[in-house]
């Protein structure tokens, strides 16, 4: 089961959550529309944000800063298909 694309993607997100420096810093949840949610983490120039659109059933993780540039990872998108 570990070879399935969805499992590989989830494992990559877990590794990202455990290694990206932004998650060791501050967290905020800015106001957003009723059908959206934004979560933001930042630490010394590294940032990670999760934007969820409940109407479109889409989630986007965006990374900025030195860690993202070094790792070559900047954006992750997922869409739930009915």
């Amino acid at each position: 089961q570990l070879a399935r694309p969805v499992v590989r993607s989830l494992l990559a997100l877990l590794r990202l959550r455990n290694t990206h420096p932004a998650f060791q810093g501050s967290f905020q949840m800015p106001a957003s529309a009723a059908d959206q949610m934004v979560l933001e983490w930042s630490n010394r120039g590294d940032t990670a944000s999760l934007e969820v659109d409940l109407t479109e059933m889409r989630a986007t993780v965006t990374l900025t800063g030195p860690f993202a540039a070094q790792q070559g990872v900047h954006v992750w998108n997922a869409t739930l298909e009915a």
Side-chain angles (χ1 to χ4, degrees):
Q1 298 290 351
L2 291 176
R4 293 176 51 201
V6 67
V7 175
R8 287 196 324 262
S9 290
L10 288 172
L11 290 173
L13 279 175
L14 288 170
R15 279 191 290 278
L16 173 68
R17 174 61 180 88
N18 288 330
T19 60
H20 196 284
F23 295 105
Q24 300 299 316
S26 62
F27 168 78
Q28 63 181 354
M29 186 174 174
S32 58
D35 64 340
Q36 297 180 357
M37 178 174 59
V38 178
L39 307 176
E40 299 174 336
W41 296 263
S42 61
N43 185 18
R44 298 182 182 200
D46 284 298
T47 64
S49 67
L50 168 64
E51 298 178 27
V52 179
D53 185 320
L54 299 171
T55 301
E56 298 293 326
M57 300 301 288
R58 181 178 55 233
T60 302
V61 174
T62 305
L63 308 171
T64 62
F67 183 86
Q70 176 186 2
Q71 297 297 313
V73 179
H74 301 283
V75 177
W76 179 86
N77 292 294
T79 303
L80 180 63
E81 298 176 12

